[in-house]
Each structure stands twice: as structure tokens, then as C-alpha cells.
């Protein structure tokens, strides 16, 4: 039985994949994979997701250079979530130029505060859209 | 604007929530929340999810005692994933009696191996179903 057959794909043929820094343990982001993305992730040992907005494979780091090298890939007990332990090249996972996508902290009242600094200007990462 | 309004709820009115041990950084599980679950999680400072299978609120630890005390709640850049840093009471997040739900490690060929020990018999956690 291949890994793909162990997975409970959702109604869109996708599974959520959490990316975690393999050394610090920081949770960097969550994205989605289809069967092809998962297969390529294992084969190339780097994170390749499926972009729901673009409806296409998303080779993480393709534009920014911030590739995620795969160290471990894990499946949860009920087969509906993946956990990737990755080496985040460039130290930036988020398109905003921050280390992690989870830079907004909620207080007990649900008010959000930004806690993490922008490490690199997104325009520099992706080229200015101007 | 309340936290709920910052969230991109999916077509079922849910958002994925990753639970991470606040001290070790271990990713324990991923589950889902609806607006009510999120509100109660903030109010009671413990993880309360929405069970998709039971279609009801799931007060984590209600049966097993393995409550998740909330230390931090974070939202990601595009508002479609939550990250909870929790204190896992009892040290067991998974219904199989393991610390984390991500106990299956895939090798490069996609073969799965169980890497984590069962710390407590599920029958003991939930009462025997026999």
C-alpha cells in the first residue's frame, strides 16, 4: 500500500501539510498537497504543495529561493494531516518576509498583535510588482 | 473587528487548528474549529474543537482528562489556519494513547513506520468499549 492510499484525501483531493522547522521546532506554515505534490515532495525531498488559489503545483521557494528541504514526513493517526520537518532555506517561510506565517498573536479577547519582524522586503523576495 | 472576522472560514464554517506543545515544540495534532469552538477556547483558555465526525463541539480531554491548556493562540498570514501552543495535560494528545498524533514516519518510498510508543492503553483512557 502506497502512502497515498493511507491518506484520507478531502473532497477536493487534498490533504493539509504542516511545515515545521526540523531544528527549532517552530511551526512555519500550513499548506495543502494533492497526490502529485506529495509524490514529488518525497521524490525530490523538498516541499511541493498544491496552491488552491492558483490550482497548480506550488514548488515552495521557486520564486523566492526559500526552498524547504525535507527531513521527515509524518502522517497522523487518522491519516488526514501531514507533518513535514524541513530545513527552511533563507530562514523565511512566509510571503510577508517573516520567518513563520503565524506572526499574529491573539489575546484572550481575540485582539491580534503582530509579534514577528519582517526579515526581508517581499518586493526583494519576489521582485517588485510596481 | 473580532478575531472571528479575521478568519477565512472554509465552506463548512471551519478553520484548521494545529496544537503544539508550548515547551517542547512538538506538534501534537491538528483538528478543526467553528466560531463557537474558537470563542470558547479563548474564553476558557483550553482547546475546544469541532468534531466533524460527530458534528458537535469537542472539549478536548473531556473523557480522557487530557485537556490542552492554552498558552498562545496565533493566526497565520492569510487567516486560514490557527496555531495553539498548549500544555498537554497527561502528556498524551492522541486517542491511540501516544504523545502526538504524528507517530507514523514515511520513508522516501512512502512506506510508513510507527515511531512512537503507546504511553497509555486507550481502553484505560476512555473506558473499555467491550
Amino acid at each position: 500500500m502506497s502512502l497515498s492510499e493511507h491518506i484520507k484525501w478531502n473532497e477536493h483531493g487534498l490533504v493539509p501539510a504542516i511545515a515545521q522547522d526540523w531544528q527549532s521546532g517552530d511551526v512555519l506554515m500550513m499548506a495543502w498537497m494533492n497526490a502529485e505534490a506529495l509524490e514529488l515532495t518525497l521524490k525530490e525531498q523538498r516541499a511541493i504543495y498544491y496552491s488552491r488559489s492558483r490550482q497548480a503545483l506550488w514548488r515552495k521557494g521557486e520564486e523566492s529561493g526559500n526552498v524547504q528541504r525535507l527531513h521527515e514526513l509524518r502522517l497522523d493517526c487518522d491519516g488526514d494531516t501531514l507533518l513535514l520537518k524541513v530545513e527552511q532555506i533563507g530562514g523565511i517561510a512566509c510571503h510577508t518576509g517573516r520567518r513563520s506565517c503565524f506572526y499574529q498573536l491573539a489575546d484572550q479577547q481575540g485582539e491580534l498583535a503582530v509579534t514577528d519582524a519582517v526579515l526581508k522586503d517581499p518586493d526583494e523576495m519576489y521582485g517588485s510588482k510596481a
Side-chain angles (χ1 to χ4, degrees), chain A:
Chain A
M1 197 150 117
S2 76
L3 177 57
S4 184
E5 291 170 271
H6 286 282
I7 292 175
K8 277 192 209 141
W9 301 95
N10 76 4
E11 67 269 39
H12 307 295
L14 303 175
V15 67
I18 301 162
Q20 180 182 31
D21 186 288
W22 76 295
Q23 285 185 311
S24 69
D26 290 344
V27 176
L28 301 173
M29 55 181 284
M30 200 200 83
W32 296 79
M33 288 187 181
N34 63 4
E36 189 186 1
L38 174 59
E39 195 189 319
L40 288 171
T41 294
L42 282 174
K43 192 175 159 197
E44 301 187 18
Q45 295 286 295
R46 58 173 281 197
I48 297 175
Y49 302 105
Y50 179 82
S51 165
R52 295 177 302 171
S53 55
R54 288 189 285 115
Q55 301 196 4
L57 285 181
W58 166 25
R59 304 176 67 86
K60 174 71 185 163
E62 192 166 33
E63 285 183 68
S64 63
N66 296 336
V67 166
Q68 294 178 336
R69 285 206 192 114
L70 188 66
H71 280 255
E72 268 189 29
L73 190 144
R74 291 179 170 271
L75 180 65
D76 73 343
C77 51
D78 48 5
D80 65 5
T81 309
L82 296 169
L83 174 64
L84 280 66
K85 298 199 185 184
V86 301
E87 180 187 353
Q88 178 61 65
I89 306 299
I92 294 173
C94 186
H95 75 287
T96 63
R98 292 179 176 89
R99 171 159 182 70
S100 160
C101 293
F102 295 96
Y103 57 81
Q104 300 178 94
L105 176 66
D107 68 15
Q108 204 167 339
Q109 284 68 47
E111 291 293 322
L112 290 174
V114 170
T115 57
D116 301 8
V118 172
L119 303 176
K120 195 168 179 179
D121 184 334
D123 281 350
E124 232 182 283
M125 284 161 64
Y126 299 103
S128 173
K129 305 247 164 74

